[in-house]
Structure formats: C-alpha cells, structure tokens
Amino acid sequence: MGASDGFAKLPHIGEKVRRKEDYRFLTGSGQYTDDINLPNQRYAAFVRSPHAHATIKSVATERAAAMPGVVKVFTGADVAGKMGGLPCGWLITSTDGQPMKEPPHPILAQGKVRYVGDHVAMVVAETVEQARNAAEAVEVDYDVLPAVVDVRDAAQASALHDIAPDNHCYKWAIGDKAAVDAVFAKAAHVTKLDLVNNRLVPNAMEPRAAIGAYSRANDEYTLYVANQNPHVERLLMTAFVLGLPEHKVRVIAPDVGGGFGSKIYLYAEDVALTWAAKQLNCAVKWTCDRSEAFLSDAHGRDHVSHAELAMDSQGKFQALRVHTDANLGAYLSTFATAVPTILYATLLAGQYTTPQIYCEVDAWFTNTAPVDAYRGAGRPEATYLLERIVTRAAWEMNIPQDELRERNMITAFPYQTPVALQYDTGDYVGAMHKANALADVKGFDARRKASEAKGLKRGIGYSSYIEACGIAPSNIAGALGARAGLFECGEIRVHPTGSVTVFTGSHSHGQGHETTFAQVVAARLGIPVENVDVVHGDTGRVPFGMGTYGSRSISVGGAAIMKALDKIEAKAKKIAAHLMEAGDGDVEFANGEFTVKGTDKKIPFGQVALTAYVPHNYPLDKLEPGLNETAFYDPTNFTFPAGTYVAEVEVDPATGVVRLDKFTAVDDFGTIINPMIVEGQVHGGLVQGIGQALLENCVYDKDSGQLLTGSMMDYAMPRADDFPSFTLDTVCTPCTHNPLGTKGCGEAGAIGSPPAVMNAVLDALRPLGVKDLDMPASPARVWEAIQAAKP
C-alpha cells in the first residue's frame, strides 16, 4: 500500500480515538519500574563525587560495610578488569581523517572523577534507607583538580582524559568551504550572529529506575529499566560491557513516565545493578531521586556558535557559514557525538534554497554531566541558529520577517540540500500563509499600540523549522558512523477469533502507541480498534527493534507493521480464495471483507482468521496453519516534518518580565493517524521549547564545577500559567517513501518554538536598543539587557 491520501480516508485513520492506555494510568494501574518488587530484593545507593574534577586517593568502605543491613559495597576496584566501560554508539571521524578521541567511561570511577555526580561506589543493603545511610559513610579521599565547565574554556583547561590532552574530541565539517568563502567575498550583505544554545536538564516526570535480577537455575539475567529502547540497552550491555551472550539477558521496559531522549542510553547504574545481581544472588533495585537526576541524567543542548549569512541586495540567501563548539560533558554518552554533527549540521539548509553551506564543529570534554540527545537532538540547535539569523537578516535588510523567509523558501520537490539531505515533499509557503492568517498578523500593529499605551513593549517572532525524523537509512547512517542498524520490526499475530496482537520494537513512553498502532492495524484489517492489543518494551517477547527516538515510531515502526500486514493480507487472500472457490488474484480486500471481482461473493476477515487455524478447511500442502507474520522496515530516507510558528510577547521594561501572549503553530506531519494525540505531542513540545526560551537553564559554577541549578528551587520548570492557549493547525503533504505517508510529530514543538519566542522578545526590545540576548529570556536577563542598552 503506497503513501496516499487514500489511506487517510480509511476508518479509524484521522479520528480522535481516545487513548486506550489512559484508563490504567488514570486509575493508578500503570506499572512503572519503581512499582515492581521482586523476591529476595535488595536496594542500591550510589556514592557520587562532590567534586567536578579530582584524583581518587583512596576509598574506605569498612565503616559503611559494617552498618546495619549492608550487604556489600562495590568500588571501582571491584569492577576493574571484570567489565568494559560504557560505549559510544556513533563514531565521528575528524577532518584530518583520524577517529574521534574515545576515552574509557568506567561503570564505577577508577582513579579519577570528572564531574559532580560521577559514580564512585555502589552500596547494596536490605532497605533503601540503610543503603543511603551507608553510602554517606563511605569515605573518599580526593585530590581536587581544576575544573572547566564552559566549552569556550576547554582548550586551555586541565585535561580530563589522557587520550585528549587538550580536551578536544573531534573536529568535523560538512560543505564546500572554498565555495562558501568565495560567495561571502562578493556578497552584497552579510549578517553575523553569535549565540549560545543553553544547556538543559531533561526532568521527565518519572526519574530513572532499574532492577537487576539473576537466576542461577538457568544462568539468566533480567533487567527492569525505565528505558526507551530495551533491545539497544541489552545489545550495548551484553556485547560491549559485560561480555554476556545476548540470549542470557532479558530487558523489560514497562510503563515509562517520559523520556525526551534521556532514557535512550545505557547508564552505569543499569550495568552495575545487573552485574551485582549475580555477585550477590539477589535482585538489586535502584530508583533515582530528583537530585540525582539533575546530576546524573544526560543533559541536552550546550552549543556556542558563530554564524554568518550572505545575501544579495534583494535578500536572497547565497551562503551560510557556521562554526559551533559543542560541549560533550565529561564522557561520551551513547549518541552524544552524532547530535552536533549528523543531526545538526545537515539541517542548516532549513526550508531555504541557500546554494552553499559550510559548517565546522569542534567537540570538547568538560567537567559536566555527559550531554546527549534531548527532544529534537541537534535539530533544535540547528533551527535556533538558522531562524535567529534569518530574523536578524530581515531586520538589517528592513524586510518583514515573513517576507524574507518566503522569498527564500523551497517550492519544488524533491530538493537536494548542500548539506547531504534530500527533502521529498513539503508546502512551506502554505504553512507560512496559514500561520499568518491564524496569528492575525495584520492586527499586530494595533495590538502593539495597545501594549504601548500600557507602558509595555510587544514583539512578534517567526520560526520556519524543518526536522529530519527516523534516523535512516541504516547503510547511510552506518557510513556516517552509526554502530548499529536503524531499522524497526513489527510482528502481527492474528488470533482464531480475528482479534490481533501487535509486537513492536518501538517503545511508548507517553506517545500513545497502544492507540495509534491499533488504529493503523484496525484500519487496514477493518476490525474494531478494541480488538487490537499492542505489546512493546520486552526483549523476551518482541522481535529485535531499535526503540523510540527521533520521532521515528509511526514512520518506521508503523511502516514495519504495515509490511507485516501486507504479508497477512497476501496469505489471507489465498485462504479466502479457497473458501470462495476463486483464484487468489481475483480476491480483493477492503473494509474487513474479502470479495471476488465481478461477483457478490464475500466473506469477513474473522472467518478467514478462524479458517487459518482450522486446517481441514484449506489445503495444508500449500499453506501453513496460522496467520502470523513478521516484517522489518529500513527507511530509504528521513522524513521531513516542517512548519511555521508565530509567537507574540509583551515585555514590561520596568521589570524585564516577558509574557507570552499568543502562539500559533502550523505543522506538516504528513498523514495524521490520531489528531488528538498529535495535538498533545505538539503541546508538550511547545512547552519544552518555550521553557528553554524563557525559563530553563542548567548552570555550573565556573570555578568549582558545582551544579548551581540542581533542584526545582533553582531550575525554573515551566508551569501552566506561563502559557496562553496555543493555536494549532496543519498542512499535509504525505511522505512519499513510507506506506503510511506519516512524518513524525513528537519533537517539532520543541524544535520550532525557541527561535520564534526569542525573535519575538528581541522584536519587542529593539526600540529600547537591545540588539541581542541569549536564552533564557528571564526577567533578570531582560532587565539587565535593557539597562545595558541605555545611553
């Protein structure tokens, strides 16, 4: 079945079907990792470094080991030589042809700690309280070293790792530098911009948790873990760290309360618990508290960039030149190296026909928590840089923000960008026009005057974003450094009564897969949504899959399910042909019924399903019993959601307080399976993106490396009253290369919203002389910028 509007017209597709999973969540029946307790279970607590950079002189565990209930205290010495370190899943090659610097990432620190929160020891005890009390009694003698937290200072700082004496991990580049430089030498106008994409702490509602268990009877391990891709977790842990046969380890990710990327990775805690379970012959459980999460979860963003945009006299983009310093933190997290390279620089064309682009990225180690993919992963950083400089260029050229964008938008597809990607389809101008209409841009001047009458400054800001979803195809990703395939798997089991169970390698942690995947199957087979169950998150039950990230679930996981359904339909037609005494080439299937062309013969899907399990009703010598099929799908290209966002803010010059007054988002997600779920995903993404623009900021002390924003008291999370009612709409250009025509919607809101908001804030502040401001636009920062701009 090809991608078309026809699929969108099937029953259940495009309907606001209520989420099937919500009943158990709303009634408290969800089962998260912390809800699980196993027989013979003990509890773990981790001793974490209070220093950002220090040599470990000694670790004294005797007093802790003697405390009530303590089973064992493990240190780096206990695991040294018995397991490997945490692996990085993406190899980046530097511009000089050398591989990136890849230092060891030990499960428990060995000889040195490199950020506040680094793992030093693990205490296992009878109760959580006993484990935590004993962890406080572990005595570590540190020799404190100078720390560096700002990526701009990394090159001159003390080395974190022997393999990288200048703290430099790699230099990577894309584009034709000579061609770009030649364009800039002759450009009529050049806009320049320096900006910081601020570091964020993910803060999923459910903190990380894990339980390691071991069975001596069959020499098998089980890890329950709050994770977005259990198969990848198992592969990394068995093949790279513990050296175990993969079939001896089962990873179960039950209900997961949000991830946003921070639960993709293999963490040290997961490995330590699994390993300790065999050492102690008991289950070992750990649940992260919020303070630990601030310290130890992989953080997001943290780029410092300089960008230049060359234009002709009419504002046509001719070339873009970018240099970015990316902070990787103290160690290489699972996908950290791909974020500021493959997932960032390849998106710098945006929606525009810029002929030449060159981007150079330097990646650095610092004494901070590892940085990895966070909702959008590279695409928000690219969009923020591009959409900020486009608006700056519009102001410098005295051209309206929307007009300059439209002059440069891509209108013919497919379109090959100068930074590797080829866009298959889109309607960028249509999204812009719809956003302008919904945002009532024509009425902005009147609203600005009304704000002025109240002593307030009003601004409007645009962002026309594009993102690449699905992370594909595997062979191209592999050539670019991916150390794993990026396909997905779907298995369909049709039961004798015609009900269906779907097993998917994708993982749901809030997206509503149990509903949308059921809608896809129900639409294709013509059965009620209630008759479809979706199973995910258990390596012992589902075929190998790559999990959920990069807005890939419906476009990649859903496509795998569609391919399995193709096989189901082909076999079912043969059974139906036998029952109706026709050739299977004459059998058609639609709306849950098999019919014979040119006749009134028809039988329902349920009858064919039952026949598949009653072999005397069809020839066994031609078909095996049952109606179960499995399929893998490896995308041939990324999908490319896109859209235009318009933000409108009021700023109080006396206090610096920014109030978001209006926000309009028009997105192109291709075929939409469930509009209600899509709206929810966009709302969530907008809140996170606007949170970054106005509130959130992860800050380390420049001298000591201490995390200054280590709690909700210091890290400003957005709240409901920080937002207006969002105005949402869509345009639709179905993806041309997956069978559903879908593009992905989970990250768009977080990608497009930060530049729209910051452009609006700066538009409001321009009359006051403020030329630039970095996120977040907090009251203190805005007020200080206003004061600094005064004569």
Side-chain angles (χ1 to χ4, degrees), residues 69-257:
V70 173
V71 178
K72 181 71 174 177
V73 181
F74 294 102
T75 69
D78 295 307
V79 302
K82 298 176 182 176
M83 63 176 76
L86 297 180
C88 179
W90 204 293
L91 172 67
I92 295 296
T93 301
S94 287
T95 53
D96 62 3
Q98 295 300 307
M100 67 190 187
K101 305 297 189 339
E102 194 170 358
H105 188 175
I107 302 305
L108 295 174
Q110 296 174 22
K112 202 177 189 185
V113 290
R114 295 176 173 87
Y115 67 100
V116 174
D118 206 350
H119 314 79
V120 177
M122 179 177 71
V123 177
V124 180
E126 299 287 344
T127 68
V128 173
E129 293 76 14
Q130 289 170 338
R132 290 180 176 174
N133 289 339
E136 293 183 3
V138 174
E139 299 171 0
V140 186
D141 187 6
Y142 296 99
D143 185 7
V144 179
L145 301 170
V148 59
V149 298
D150 191 318
V151 69
R152 290 164 288 196
D153 301 327
Q156 288 76 43
S158 298
L160 276 75
H161 303 281
D162 294 341
I163 196 175
D166 56 357
N167 292 319
H168 191 240
C169 183
Y170 59 77
K171 178 184 286 291
W172 180 90
I174 190 171
D176 187 333
K177 185 178 188 301
V180 168
D181 290 345
V183 172
F184 271 90
K186 298 178 181 179
H189 183 86
V190 175
T191 294
K192 298 181 180 182
L193 182 65
D194 291 294
L195 49 77
V196 174
N197 203 299
N198 46 319
R199 178 182 282 239
L200 302 176
V201 180
N203 277 309
M205 187 177 292
E206 177 205 22
R208 289 189 293 122
I211 310 170
Y214 175 74
S215 169
R216 284 190 174 175
N218 51 17
D219 190 31
E220 290 182 355
Y221 300 78
T222 302
L223 173 67
Y224 294 86
V225 62
N227 186 267
Q228 297 174 215
N229 48 357
H231 274 288
V232 175
E233 170 110 353
R234 182 177 72 166
L235 174 63
L236 293 174
M237 184 166 61
T238 56
F240 295 96
V241 188
L242 295 178
L244 296 171
E246 199 169 354
H247 71 286
K248 289 293 185 180
V249 179
R250 180 181 181 185
V251 175
I252 301 173
D255 290 325
V256 174

Side-chain angles (χ1 to χ4, degrees), residues 12-26:
H12 311 307
I13 299 301
E15 293 183 7
K16 292 186 175 182
V17 175
R18 288 191 176 185
R19 297 196 346 161
K20 298 175 66 175
E21 50 269 74
D22 281 352
Y23 181 81
R24 74 173 185 272
F25 296 143
L26 293 171

Side-chain angles (χ1 to χ4, degrees), residues 216-534:
R216 284 190 174 175
N218 51 17
D219 190 31
E220 290 182 355
Y221 300 78
T222 302
L223 173 67
Y224 294 86
V225 62
N227 186 267
Q228 297 174 215
N229 48 357
H231 274 288
V232 175
E233 170 110 353
R234 182 177 72 166
L235 174 63
L236 293 174
M237 184 166 61
T238 56
F240 295 96
V241 188
L242 295 178
L244 296 171
E246 199 169 354
H247 71 286
K248 289 293 185 180
V249 179
R250 180 181 181 185
V251 175
I252 301 173
D255 290 325
V256 174
F260 316 120
S262 69
K263 293 176 183 171
I264 296 174
Y265 325 115
L266 176 64
Y267 283 96
E269 294 91 350
D270 307 345
V271 176
L273 296 167
T274 305
W275 178 79
K278 180 175 182 179
Q279 310 305 308
L280 303 177
N281 194 30
C282 65
V284 185
K285 181 176 183 177
W286 168 77
T287 302
C288 187
D289 63 29
R290 189 60 65 181
S291 295
E292 277 187 294
F294 271 99
L295 291 173
S296 63
D297 286 3
H299 293 171
R301 317 292 190 240
D302 207 342
H303 284 190
V304 176
S305 298
H306 174 76
E308 299 178 0
L309 180 63
M311 293 166 283
D312 67 13
S313 59
Q314 302 303 307
K316 284 290 289 181
F317 302 163
Q318 295 180 318
L320 177 70
R321 187 163 55 193
V322 176
H323 181 270
T324 292
D325 288 300
N327 191 344
L328 299 178
Y331 301 98
L332 297 181
S333 183
T334 307
F335 293 117
T337 52
V339 175
T341 52
I342 308 303
L343 300 179
Y344 164 68
T346 57
L347 271 297
L348 287 172
Q351 299 186 11
Y352 310 115
T353 56
T354 312
Q356 295 287 346
I357 298 173
Y358 178 74
C359 178
E360 193 173 80
V361 178
D362 283 292
W364 306 88
F365 296 109
T366 66
N367 296 110
T368 60
V371 174
D372 211 317
Y374 173 68
R375 200 169 192 169
R379 289 97 81 201
E381 295 90 321
T383 298
Y384 183 68
L385 180 145
L386 184 61
E387 292 304 294
R388 282 287 312 278
I389 200 168
V390 168
T391 286
R392 169 71 69 87
W395 290 334
E396 291 180 358
M397 299 285 283
N398 199 28
I399 301 172
Q401 295 179 61
D402 56 338
E403 184 179 327
L404 182 64
R405 285 174 166 80
E406 190 169 337
R407 285 186 194 183
N408 290 281
M409 278 180 172
I410 300 161
T411 56
F413 296 89
Y415 178 80
Q416 178 62 54
T417 75
V419 279
L421 300 182
Q422 184 180 83
Y423 307 157
D424 62 329
T425 185
D427 182 10
Y428 308 150
V429 174
M432 169 72 79
H433 289 174
K434 183 173 277 192
N436 273 342
L438 290 172
D440 185 24
V441 173
K442 291 181 179 179
F444 174 73
D445 284 340
R447 293 191 294 275
R448 192 201 291 269
K449 291 175 182 176
S451 296
E452 290 280 358
K454 297 184 291 184
L456 304 174
K457 299 295 182 183
R458 180 174 286 264
I460 190 168
Y462 282 81
S463 171
S464 294
Y465 80 91
I466 192 167
E467 61 167 321
C469 296
I471 312 184
S474 290
N475 60 332
I476 300 299
L480 294 172
R483 288 166 163 169
L486 293 164
F487 53 82
E488 197 46 80
C489 178
E491 179 185 349
I492 308 293
R493 293 185 191 173
V494 179
H495 304 295
T497 57
S499 62
V500 174
T501 301
V502 178
F503 297 84
T504 174
S506 298
H507 186 277
S508 178
H509 37 279
Q511 296 92 334
H513 294 173
E514 293 174 38
T515 304
T516 50
F517 284 11
Q519 286 180 256
V520 168
V521 174
R524 181 71 183 275
L525 298 181
I527 61 178
V529 172
E530 296 76 20
N531 287 5
V532 182
D533 279 341
V534 177

